[in-house]
Amino acid sequence: MSVVRRLPVVADLTLVTAGAMTANIAGYLLQLLASRWLGVTGYSPFASLLAVQLLCAVPALALQNVVAREIVRGAPLAAARGLALRCAGLVAILALVLVPVVSAVLNVGLAASAAALCAAPVLVLLSGEQGVLQGRSRFRELAMVLGGAGIARVTPALIVLAAGGGTAPALWAAAAGIAIAAAAARRAADTTSVSTSSPAATALPPQPLDPGGADPRPPLGSDAADLIGTPSDSQGAGGKSASNLSGRARKYVGDVGVLPVFRAAQVQAALMALSSADLLVSRIVLSEDEAGRYALGAIAAKIAFWLPQAVGVVLYPKMAQPQHSARAMRSALAVLVGVGALGVLGAAVAAPLAPLLAGQDYAPVQGYLWLFALQGALLAVLQGALLSAIAADRTAPAAITWIGLAMGVTVMLISAHSVLTLITIATATAALTTLVISVIALRTARTGNESAATVPDSGPDGT
């Protein structure tokens, strides 16, 4: 019996999108004001460390996927939080090791590097609580946590910067704000656990956005059979009791540990690395002033990348169904291309406003903003293609993304000596990688569609 997945409920999707957009707008405001207050030279290390922070957030976003899935399947709250604590511990150890490495590679102080990286384990804990809210279908609370976390992170940093503080104090203040947001999210999750008795027996929640707006979520079904999965032949057709389900989920979380988080992170890590590599390379191949201008242009790329996230959220459940995946994939790519084209046009029209908002020091980059927006739009299309791979539980396209990243970075390090050449290489890398993966994803979805047509009784995973 094939599983029919529900499209996200409009009200819930609107709430979570509003929360995610609040966080994104707060992040853009931080970058914009920091570019003015720190100046061209001071903003470059600040923006580079924010990019490092984004890469370190990948395990946090993956953890939210896993925690939400396990909560829906009946895992107890303590087990989910135990998984979050283990992941936070591993991330903390990794961050400690990376502090001197990041400091040396980006030529920034140890205090600033530590401030950026210490936020990573706190983000893991925050995402774990967001996963609990997502798994319990508490989308009003999730939206408040998403928006509140963005404000809590940005507000202390802006206060420090406005008072004349530098990169390190601002990043330490931001980390403190994230810790406060994590505590508030835990309280919200504890409150919802009182009124949520059996997650596995409830209707499936719609797909929310991730804290940054960019993180695709794994497919969730629309009924208990989809959540549990198809029983094996040895189990028979009968369902399990609620107590057996809870025990099975508890054992599953304990046995697998952090491995599901690692698997969920690999595709997203490849995408995030590709979207941030050029900003990191700019610190190596460009002068301080040029790197600062490149960081400002990269804001246009980030906006174009995060703007159409709701497209994947709405079409993702259809991508998870082999009989509908090809059509959903084509629809997603078509909409993403259309939104991307409008974004590029908007960046070209609004380019003269950049010096007015960020200062005349950034006037030389205004003519390239459309190219930055094109890079972000291409990466948004790439994310749509990768979403179909995640929906079908296929992670091979991540390898292609890593290959494209390696090739692009190599060319950047050898040939990029100005803002124009660097963004041109980065855009060409995004275009080539997106084209290859989109073609593969469309062919794979078409094959899955044909298979589903010949085998109507496929399991809920479509394999």
Side-chain angles (χ1 to χ4, degrees):
M1 176 180 177
S2 62
V3 177
V4 178
R5 302 180 185 273
R6 298 176 182 175
L7 289 175
V9 177
V10 174
D12 289 336
L13 179 59
T14 302
L15 284 171
V16 179
T17 301
M21 288 303 297
T22 299
N24 286 336
I25 292 172
Y28 297 141
L29 181 63
L30 173 62
Q31 295 188 52
L32 183 61
L33 293 179
S35 68
R36 291 186 64 92
W37 293 338
L38 293 176
V40 174
T41 303
Y43 179 62
S44 178
F46 184 81
S48 297
L49 288 173
L50 287 181
V52 170
Q53 213 171 62
L54 177 63
L55 295 178
C56 292
V58 169
L61 300 178
L63 173 70
Q64 182 174 339
N65 295 340
V66 176
V67 167
R69 183 183 66 201
E70 298 310 316
I71 288 292
V72 168
R73 290 180 176 179
L77 188 61
R81 284 177 171 164
L83 177 61
L85 284 173
R86 290 194 296 274
C87 291
L90 291 175
V91 170
I93 294 172
L94 180 61
L96 184 63
V97 172
L98 289 177
V99 166
V101 177
V102 171
S103 177
V105 172
L106 298 182
N107 191 25
V108 297
L110 282 173
S113 178
L117 291 170
C118 81
V122 186
L123 283 170
V124 169
L125 296 177
L126 173 61
S127 293
E129 300 302 329
Q130 289 173 172
V132 172
L133 293 172
Q134 178 184 351
R136 293 188 183 278
S137 304
R138 308 301 297 188
F139 292 104
R140 182 180 299 275
E141 291 83 355
L142 178 59
M144 294 176 63
V145 168
L146 291 177
I151 295 173
R153 167 178 171 262
V154 168
T155 302
L158 288 179
I159 293 174
V160 170
L161 290 172
T167 295
L171 290 174
W172 281 115
I178 296 172
I180 295 173
R186 183 182 179 93
R187 178 176 297 182
D190 285 337
T191 301
T192 61
S193 66
V194 174
S195 59
T196 307
S197 58
S198 179
T202 61
L204 246 204
Q207 294 290 327
L209 293 174
D210 61 58
D215 196 35
R217 299 297 178 228
L220 297 177
S222 58
D223 52 28
D226 189 20
L227 297 175
I228 302 170
T230 303
S232 62
D233 294 337
S234 62
Q235 293 171 328
K240 292 181 178 294
S241 67
S243 61
N244 288 341
L245 173 61
S246 178
R248 177 185 177 187
R250 188 181 298 109
K251 181 178 185 298
Y252 176 71
V253 173
D255 286 348
V256 176
V258 299
L259 187 58
V261 181
F262 175 79
R263 289 199 300 264
Q266 60 177 321
V267 175
Q268 189 172 5
L271 179 64
M272 292 297 102
L274 185 62
S275 66
S276 303
D278 58 321
L279 188 58
L280 299 179
V281 171
S282 70
R283 290 281 299 163
I284 301 173
V285 301
L286 301 180
S287 66
E288 286 289 336
D289 289 352
E290 288 289 278
R293 296 187 183 102
Y294 192 92
L296 178 68
I299 296 178
K302 299 304 180 187
I303 294 175
F305 176 55
W306 297 118
L307 186 62
Q309 296 302 301
V311 175
V313 172
V314 172
L315 293 178
Y316 189 84
K318 289 294 184 182
M319 292 182 185
Q321 303 177 54
Q323 65 270 34
H324 299 300
S325 59
R327 178 180 298 177
M329 180 65 181
R330 290 193 297 268
S331 299
L333 294 184
V335 175
L336 289 170
V337 169
V339 173
L342 291 176
V344 173
L345 179 61
V349 172
L353 297 177
L356 298 178
L357 296 175
Q360 290 300 320
D361 288 338
Y362 297 97
V365 80
Q366 73 178 67
Y368 311 142
L369 289 182
W370 70 271
L371 195 54
F372 281 97
L374 177 59
Q375 180 207 17
L378 288 168
L379 290 172
V381 176
L382 174 61
Q383 181 177 359
L386 290 175
L387 268 176
S388 68
I390 298 172
D393 198 21
R394 300 184 181 95
T395 57
I400 301 175
T401 307
W402 286 116
I403 293 173
L405 172 64
M407 295 175 60
V409 169
T410 300
V411 177
M412 291 177 199
L413 292 173
I414 295 174
S415 304
H417 303 295
S418 67
V419 171
L420 179 58
T421 56
L422 182 56
I423 185 55
T424 300
I425 296 171
T427 303
T429 300
L432 181 60
T433 306
T434 300
L435 177 62
V436 172
I437 291 184
S438 296
V439 170
I440 294 175
L442 286 170
R443 289 181 177 177
T444 302
R446 189 181 302 113
T447 301
N449 195 1
E450 294 172 354
S451 299
T454 58
V455 186
D457 292 330
S458 58
D461 60 355
T463 57

